[in-house]
């Protein structure tokens, strides 16, 4: 297994591409809605456009707030992030009609990298239930040595190909593109947080576990 190393410029460029990919759809919908308002006099169409703008703006805001913590330097003045803030941005990002999010965690400050890992694992979790379902997040243990258990249930649940290799930092292709950067980054954060990630599947249920890595072990 060959570990891939990205330099700072490549890593930042790929993460920026990922964030842009997440927000371009709702921003485009806002632009479309504004064009309808400019061109339409029909009251029904104008109401439709306003509703589209309202929903898309809310979605874009939720995705940016999530990215600020999961990928960015939110709270960079300190070394901890409140799990309540993590829950809030996760619900904004994933709590919709397609995917339900349940969250059981203490209201406490946790080390920044551990919170970033948890949020990135929620993104990974969503990829295991492509047709939607339930993501159940449970956080236990002390802040410095927590255990994360994410349980996903849904139709056609699966562990995506190459996901485990990307989390391990050793993609089979030997390279990482914008499509693969998020799980690769999640693995980087896991190692920085000194945590080990395991995936398993049983029928229509996928489980992701993250726990403190043994001293000297890779995540």
């Amino acid at each position: 297994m060959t570990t891939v190393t990205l330099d700072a410029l490549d890593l930042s460029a790929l993460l920026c591409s990922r964030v842009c990919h997440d927000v371009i759809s709702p921003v485009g919908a806002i632009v479309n809605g504004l064009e309808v308002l400019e061109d339409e006099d029909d009251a029904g169409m104008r109401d439709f456009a306003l509703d589209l703008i309202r929903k898309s703006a809310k979605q874009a805001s939720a995705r940016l707030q999530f990215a600020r913590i999961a990928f960015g330097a939110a709270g960079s003045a300190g070394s901890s992030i409140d799990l309540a803030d993590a829950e809030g941005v996760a619900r904004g990002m994933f709590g919709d009609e397609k995917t339900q999010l349940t969250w059981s965690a203490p209201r406490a400050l946790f080390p920044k990298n551990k919170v970033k890992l948890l949020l990135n694992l929620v993104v990974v979790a969503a990829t295991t239930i492509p047709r939607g379902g339930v993501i159940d997040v449970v956080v236990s243990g002390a802040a410095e040595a927590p255990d994360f258990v994410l349980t996903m249930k849904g139709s056609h649940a699966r562990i995506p190909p190459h996901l485990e290799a990307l989390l391990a930092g050793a993609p089979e292709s030997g390279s990482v593109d914008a499509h693969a950067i998020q799980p690769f980054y999640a693995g980087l954060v896991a190692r920085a947080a000194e945590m080990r990630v395991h995936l398993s599947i049983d029928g229509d249920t996928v489980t992701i576990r993250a726990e403190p890595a043994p001293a000297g072990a890779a995540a």
Side-chain angles (χ1 to χ4, degrees), residues 61-79:
S61 176
R63 293 184 178 187
L64 286 171
Q65 289 181 57
F66 183 90
R68 179 172 173 265
I69 297 180
F71 307 136
S76 57
S79 59

Side-chain angles (χ1 to χ4, degrees), residues 10 45 102-103 147 201:
D10 286 341
M45 287 298 296
T102 63
W103 187 283
D147 291 299
I201 184 168

Side-chain angles (χ1 to χ4, degrees), residues 113-138:
N113 277 343
K114 289 181 169 55
V115 178
K116 291 167 75 72
L117 173 60
L118 177 60
L119 290 178
N120 274 276
L121 290 180
V122 174
V123 180
V124 171
T127 69
T128 69
I129 44 173
R131 299 192 180 185
V134 177
I135 301 174
D136 178 60
V137 179
V138 177

Side-chain angles (χ1 to χ4, degrees), residues 2 6 10 13 22 25 38 41 43 59 62 65 103 106 110-111 133 142 150 159 167 172 181-182 198 207 216:
T2 303
L6 295 178
D10 286 341
D22 285 347
S25 178
E38 291 177 352
D41 294 325
Q59 186 180 57
Q65 289 181 57
W103 187 283
F110 270 51
L150 292 80
I159 297 176
L167 286 168
E172 295 175 9
I181 188 60
Q182 190 279 321
H198 308 273
T207 302

Side-chain angles (χ1 to χ4, degrees), residues 77-108:
S79 59
S80 301
I81 297 175
D82 195 327
L83 281 180
D85 293 337
E87 178 184 1
V89 298
R91 288 192 181 282
M93 183 77 167
F94 295 100
D96 56 26
E97 296 178 359
K98 179 181 177 183
T99 304
Q100 296 179 340
L101 180 70
T102 63
W103 187 283
S104 176
R107 296 182 64 87

